[in-house]
């Protein structure tokens, strides 16, 4: 028998169908709620609201499960590459060898950006945060490819925009960094793979040979896979809501980059490193800082602990912790902030205060440490997250479009003044 939910308002009962996802999750379909009852739902932060039906990513926060298109994140991180995972997220299936070759070549053919982009870049002072520069350059593509503004773009046209997005992202990201350090930009070297190409554009200096370290390139590839999608998080919801107005792929993703920038979202990994540095500078007494985190009257809070949807552990954090250990050992990095991080982790996992509140380390806790070991500066951490999240944003934007979803337009409960008469300025 079909399941339904009953809502009673002023003694009158209304029935709403329950929809079931492929993993058994239930959602009350309240599509007709306002029309039938005159009421809306109120859900600050959308903690209980399913905004869409999606076939891209499955996440079970209680069990710590994350899957892209049905494949476990553990298996993808161990066996796949970032471009393979990008293809999977965007087109729904793992590519064949031929498909991956074409996809990779198509991307290579579009890594260059228009020379006039450099004029835009030159307009930014070197004090600009690379995330702001990245979002601006990404959106600027609408000016160079005005055909992307057509809401009824053909399938081939959309494919080209997808390829351009993936191809130019590492170029924009590396250039945003070069702008911040005041160095000349490097052009993409298409003899290299996706991550190596980015590393060379980011780190190579004029007239100096830059040797790609495969340990660094592989670790980066894995990090990008771990960040590639995370269902309806803040930046993805932003991409979907902007895309629902039929804005172009470039402006929708630019909006996602801006949403990711905040310290409560992608900016969290940067906050973790700043916190570890602060503890180190103070002498490294982790007990003192744990006590501060527990003290209600102390504004200090542990960054990188707990997660809105994971209730026991973040599966990405497990993989990334192991990767951090491997990378640090292989690169011979001895990072004292890592020791502080390990001590914090150990205490927090045992202390009832953190256990009861389910505050265990999340993906941001370790990603900062590993980015640092790879030589990525702190201001670039969130940019790395954006590079990883790009295929997820693209897949979600494409799905929204293919499902012909309506424009996003939430309602509200108005709590302001009732109608009152205008008072002339002389009488106020
Ligand atoms: C993410 O990967 O987007 C973050 O963990 C935040 C989230 O899912 O809400």
């Amino acid at each position: 028998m079909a399941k339904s939910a009953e809502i009673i308002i002023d003694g009158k009962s209304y029935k709403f169908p329950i929809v079931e996802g492929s993993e058994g999750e239930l959602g009350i379909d309240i599509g007709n709620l306002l029309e039938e009852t005159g009421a809306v739902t109120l859900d600050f932060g959308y903690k209980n609201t399913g905004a869409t039906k999606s076939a891209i990513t499955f996440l079970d926060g209680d069990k710590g499960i994350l899957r892209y298109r049905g494949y476990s994140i553990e298996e993808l991180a161990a066996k796949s590459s970032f471009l393979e995972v990008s293809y999977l997220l965007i087109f729904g299936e793992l590519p064949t060898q031929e498909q991956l070759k074409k996809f990779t070549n198509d991307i290579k053919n579009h890594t260059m950006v228009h020379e006039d982009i450099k004029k835009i870049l030159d307009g930014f002072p070197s004090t600009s945060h690379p995330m702001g520069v990245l979002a601006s350059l990404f959106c600027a593509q609408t000016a160079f490819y005005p055909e992307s503004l057509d809401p009824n773009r053909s399938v081939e046209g959309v494919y080209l925009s997808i390829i351009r997005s993936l191809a130019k992202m590492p170029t924009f990201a590396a250039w945003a960094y070069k702008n911040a350090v005041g160095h000349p930009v490097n052009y993409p070297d298409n003899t290299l793979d996706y991550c190596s190409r980015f590393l060379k554009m980011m780190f190579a200096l004029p007239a100096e040979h830059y040797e790609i370290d495969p340990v660094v390139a592989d670790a980066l590839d894995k990090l990008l896979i771990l960040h590639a999608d995370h269902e309806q998080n803040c930046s993805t919801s932003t991409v979907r809501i902007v895309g629902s107005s039929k804005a172009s792929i470039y402006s929708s993703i630019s909006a996602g980059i801006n949403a990711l920038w905040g310290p409560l979202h992608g900016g969290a990994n940067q906050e973790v490193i700043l916190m570890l540095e602060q503890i180190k500078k103070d002498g490294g007494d982790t007990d003192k800082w744990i006590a501060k985190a527990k003290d209600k009257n102390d504004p200090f809070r542990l960054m990188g602990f707990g997660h809105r949807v994971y209730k026991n552990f973040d599966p990405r954090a497990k993989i990334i912790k192991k990767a951090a250990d491997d990378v640090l050992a292989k690169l011979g990095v001895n990072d004292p902030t890592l020791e502080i991080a390990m001590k914090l982790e150990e205490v927090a996992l045992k202390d009832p205060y953190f256990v009861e509140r389910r505050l265990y380390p999340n993906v941001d806790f370790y990603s900062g440490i590993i980015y640092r070991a790879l030589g990525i500066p702190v201001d670039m951490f969130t940019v790395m997250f954006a590079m990883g999240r790009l295929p997820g944003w693209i897949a979600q934007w494409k799905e929204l479009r293919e499902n012909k979803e309506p424009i996003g337009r939430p309602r509200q409960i108005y709590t302001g003044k009732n109608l009152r008469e205008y008072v002339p300025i002389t009488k106020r």
Side-chain angles (χ1 to χ4, degrees):
M1 209 175 71
K3 290 179 185 148
S4 66
E6 192 179 357
I7 295 180
I8 301 170
I9 302 177
D10 288 339
K12 192 165 173 208
S13 152
Y14 304 87
K15 275 213 166 125
F16 296 92
I18 291 192
V19 289
E20 192 164 342
S22 48
E23 289 288 342
E25 335 87 293
L26 302 181
I28 306 168
D29 180 351
I30 50 137
N32 292 333
L33 182 72
L34 180 60
E35 204 181 307
E36 286 188 24
T37 68
V40 296
T41 54
L42 182 62
D43 184 19
F44 288 107
Y46 310 122
K47 291 185 184 179
N48 305 284
T49 298
T52 191
K53 285 185 186 172
S54 178
I56 303 170
T57 290
F58 172 66
L59 192 164
D60 184 327
D62 289 328
K63 297 195 186 118
I65 294 175
L66 176 62
R67 292 182 205 142
Y68 300 159
R69 301 280 189 188
Y71 295 100
S72 80
I73 190 66
E74 289 80 8
E75 218 180 349
L76 290 171
K79 301 181 183 163
S80 200
S81 72
F82 176 62
L83 284 191
E84 231 184 308
V85 168
S86 301
Y87 187 100
L88 169 72
L89 284 167
I90 298 167
F91 301 108
E93 294 296 338
L94 283 170
T96 60
Q97 275 180 346
E98 269 311 295
Q99 286 167 332
L100 185 61
K101 199 168 150 206
K102 178 178 182 312
F103 187 57
T104 308
N105 282 338
D106 289 347
I107 290 173
K108 278 190 179 168
N109 285 336
H110 289 277
T111 53
M112 289 288 286
V113 300
H114 196 290
E115 275 297 287
D116 285 350
I117 286 269
K118 267 180 32 201
K119 292 190 193 149
I120 302 176
L121 186 70
D122 284 345
F124 283 97
S126 58
T127 47
S128 315
H129 193 287
M131 277 299 269
V133 176
L134 180 68
S136 307
L137 298 186
F138 211 94
C139 196
Q141 291 185 95
T142 51
F144 295 91
Y145 309 113
E147 67 283 1
S148 65
L149 298 170
D150 177 2
N152 303 314
R153 203 124 193 260
S154 65
V155 174
E156 297 74 33
V158 168
Y159 178 77
L160 185 58
S161 296
I162 291 173
I163 291 295
R164 282 189 170 131
S165 297
L166 287 163
K168 294 177 202 312
M169 180 64 140
T171 314
F172 292 146
W175 285 17
Y177 169 67
K178 288 294 191 195
N179 178 68
V181 288
H183 289 174
V185 299
N186 291 316
Y187 288 96
D189 177 348
N190 287 332
T191 61
L192 299 173
D193 61 69
Y194 197 80
C195 287
S196 304
R197 186 161 60 236
F198 164 73
L199 289 168
K200 189 168 171 189
M201 278 191 283
M202 166 123 178
F203 291 118
L205 294 171
E208 263 185 33
H209 175 68
Y210 178 74
E211 191 71 38
I212 305 287
D213 185 335
V215 173
V216 174
D218 287 354
L220 182 57
D221 200 79
K222 198 188 283 261
L223 280 162
L224 298 188
I225 294 176
L226 292 178
H227 286 94
D229 197 44
H230 212 236
E231 51 118 294
Q232 307 310 316
N233 59 82
C234 173
S235 56
T236 301
S237 302
T238 302
V239 170
R240 283 190 90 119
I241 206 153
V242 174
S244 77
S245 75
K246 296 223 187 294
S248 82
I249 186 168
Y250 303 128
S251 33
S252 306
I253 288 173
S254 172
I257 296 171
N258 279 314
L260 186 73
W261 192 356
L264 292 185
H265 193 7
N269 52 16
Q270 177 166 348
E271 296 300 313
V272 169
I273 289 293
L274 298 177
M275 171 191 80
L276 295 174
E277 287 291 353
Q278 186 185 10
I279 299 176
K280 190 179 96 186
K281 213 164 135 206
D282 184 63
D285 180 356
T286 42
D287 290 342
K288 172 182 160 186
W289 289 85
I290 290 273
K292 275 165 80 61
K294 285 158 67 174
D295 180 355
K296 267 203 299 267
N297 301 317
D298 191 311
F300 175 75
R301 290 289 167 265
L302 278 185
M303 295 305 293
F305 281 76
H307 193 279
R308 170 69 81 77
V309 287
Y310 291 120
K311 299 297 170 228
N312 292 311
F313 66 94
D314 178 340
R316 300 168 300 174
K318 273 197 178 171
I319 305 170
I320 216 168
K321 179 180 191 294
K322 164 104 189 32
D325 291 345
D326 290 352
V327 166
L328 291 164
K330 278 193 203 147
L331 297 177
V333 174
N334 189 2
D335 188 344
T337 49
L338 184 67
E339 261 171 55
I340 295 175
M342 296 305 166
K343 271 198 223 152
L344 284 181
E345 183 204 26
E346 203 187 308
V347 178
L349 288 178
K350 280 195 223 131
D351 190 312
Y353 177 91
F354 295 97
V355 175
E356 276 158 28
R357 288 169 178 75
R358 296 166 163 191
L359 295 173
Y360 48 83
N362 62 34
V363 73
D364 305 310
F365 188 67
Y366 299 106
S367 62
I369 295 165
I370 198 165
Y371 285 139
R372 220 157 91 123
L374 302 184
I376 312 263
V378 174
D379 267 4
M380 283 295 286
F381 288 2
T382 320
V383 171
M384 307 315 298
F385 194 155
M387 255 173 75
R389 186 54 53 90
L390 180 63
W393 289 331
I394 294 173
Q396 304 266 353
W397 178 88
K398 185 167 164 280
E399 183 180 69
L400 158 105
R401 204 183 133 87
E402 288 167 356
N403 289 353
K404 299 196 177 7
E405 288 183 27
I407 185 167
R409 174 55 171 93
R411 304 298 288 235
Q412 63 168 17
I413 299 293
Y414 174 70
T415 58
K417 298 268 191 264
N418 296 116
L419 180 65
R420 47 188 177 154
E421 240 172 70
Y422 179 78
V423 183
I425 197 157
T426 48
K427 296 206 175 138
R428 274 177 233 160

